Amino acid sequence: MQVAANLKEINRRIEDACKNSNRSVKDITLIGVTKYVTIERTEEAIKAGIRDLGENRLEGFREKYDYFQGTDVKWHFIGTLQSRKVKDVIHQVDVIHSLDRLSLAKEINKRTEKKIECFIQVNVSKEQSKHGILPEEVLPFIEKLREYENIRVIGLMTMAPHTEDETVLRQVFKRLASLKAEVQEKHYELAPCAYLSMGMSNDYEVAIEEGATHIRIGTKLVG
Ligand SMILES: *Cc1c(COP(=O)(O)O)cnc(C)c1O
């Protein structure tokens, strides 16, 4: 019951954020991040209506994927992916949010025969502790992806710094949104780049106001 109540509150806030920014709730995909929680809790989220699930580690992903096989959910891999582990997720995962280097693109390309939807992870805030390529490297990176025909860049992803300072958060989200626009202007066939994966428990409303299409919520939903 608690997840359903949390979801109701989150949906209400999503609606408000959409109103504030003249957007449609239909354009927002809520990814339930279940990395901290059990199968039971994840099941509660699915029963509450969540259809997109996110995991950041291979073990957690495989455990839940295996358990919920046959359930109509879309699986998002949101954590750092080691190249040698690509083969263990590539046939299960629907979307990868953490493409951050060419060696990973190469491995993904090699291990699959179909197009894999990816977000490029961008380290907008340039924090040392964060993964992702730097904003100025995004276009050159995409140019180099041409060799890898199975990679499809559907959008950009970032993690904002851990702060309550709305000005800082907005700056980060705005930068990612403008980068996405730059990529779209290039009309790359391999990178339609229509989506923005940004916003977590503490900042998803600001992220929506700045254009997020995919928000990734753990703590406030199931935590
Ligand atoms: C854990 C995680 C989230 C969810 O974080 P919460 O603050 O618990 O909502 C979102 N995105 C990524 C990449 C994560 O690792």
Side-chain angles (χ1 to χ4, degrees):
M1 274 311 289
Q2 212 212 315
V3 176
N6 292 347
L7 180 58
K8 203 170 157 197
E9 172 66 12
I10 291 167
N11 278 334
R12 194 184 63 72
R13 287 169 182 258
I14 291 175
E15 249 176 66
D16 283 351
C18 282
K19 260 188 214 136
N20 290 342
S21 50
N22 265 316
R23 303 188 57 204
S24 162
V25 291
K26 284 193 285 257
D27 296 335
I28 314 293
T29 299
L30 167 57
I31 300 168
V33 176
T34 50
K35 66 187 187 194
Y36 316 109
V37 302
T38 58
I39 296 269
E40 290 71 34
R41 198 79 170 154
T42 305
E43 191 153 37
E44 214 185 312
I46 294 172
K47 284 200 178 120
I50 293 290
R51 281 297 169 273
D52 289 82
L53 292 179
E55 279 285 332
N56 69 334
R57 291 180 56 240
L58 178 71
E59 295 72 23
F61 170 73
R62 285 304 299 244
E63 182 199 19
K64 285 171 181 119
Y65 178 87
D66 289 345
Y67 186 86
F68 293 108
Q69 250 191 37
T71 312
D72 162 38
V73 292
K74 197 161 172 176
W75 294 97
H76 300 259
F77 197 88
I78 61 173
T80 306
L81 188 54
Q82 288 173 275
S83 295
R84 66 189 167 86
K85 297 197 168 163
V86 165
K87 61 180 183 317
D88 302 321
V89 294
I90 200 69
H91 300 296
Q92 288 79 22
V93 81
D94 294 294
V95 187
I96 294 173
H97 288 244
S98 48
L99 179 58
D100 62 354
R101 53 194 198 280
L102 280 178
S103 55
L104 179 59
K106 184 177 179 183
E107 183 67 14
I108 292 171
N109 189 63
K110 184 171 112 183
R111 295 286 177 181
T112 175
E113 249 112 67
K114 59 166 195 187
K115 297 227 185 309
I116 299 291
E117 297 191 337
C118 300
F119 284 86
I120 294 176
Q121 183 167 354
V122 187
N123 187 356
V124 177
S125 55
K126 302 192 176 176
E127 288 167 278
Q128 287 249 312
S129 60
K130 287 209 157 67
H131 289 270
I133 66 176
L134 295 175
E136 54 273 24
E137 288 170 351
V138 169
L139 286 175
F141 181 76
I142 292 176
E143 296 278 352
K144 290 186 194 123
L145 290 176
R146 273 187 206 173
E147 290 182 55
Y148 309 121
E149 54 184 10
N150 294 326
I151 302 280
R152 195 162 175 85
V153 178
I154 63 167
L156 304 180
M157 179 275 220
T158 201
M159 288 174 83
H162 197 81
T163 173
E164 302 289 315
D165 187 341
E166 216 181 285
T167 316
V168 172
L169 294 171
R170 272 191 206 283
Q171 262 172 9
V172 168
F173 296 144
K174 273 187 204 298
R175 183 77 208 276
L176 197 71
S178 76
L179 264 175
K180 168 191 162 259
E182 268 181 57
V183 177
Q184 282 184 300
E185 269 171 32
K186 298 277 188 186
H187 300 286
Y188 293 118
E189 202 178 320
L190 71 104
C193 206
Y195 301 123
L196 285 170
S197 171
M198 58 189 196
M200 320 196 325
S201 287
N202 289 321
D203 54 22
Y204 68 92
E205 291 150 284
V206 182
I208 289 171
E209 287 172 11
E210 299 302 338
T213 59
H214 292 63
I215 55 174
R216 312 176 307 265
I217 303 188
T219 315
K220 292 226 169 121
L221 180 68
V222 292

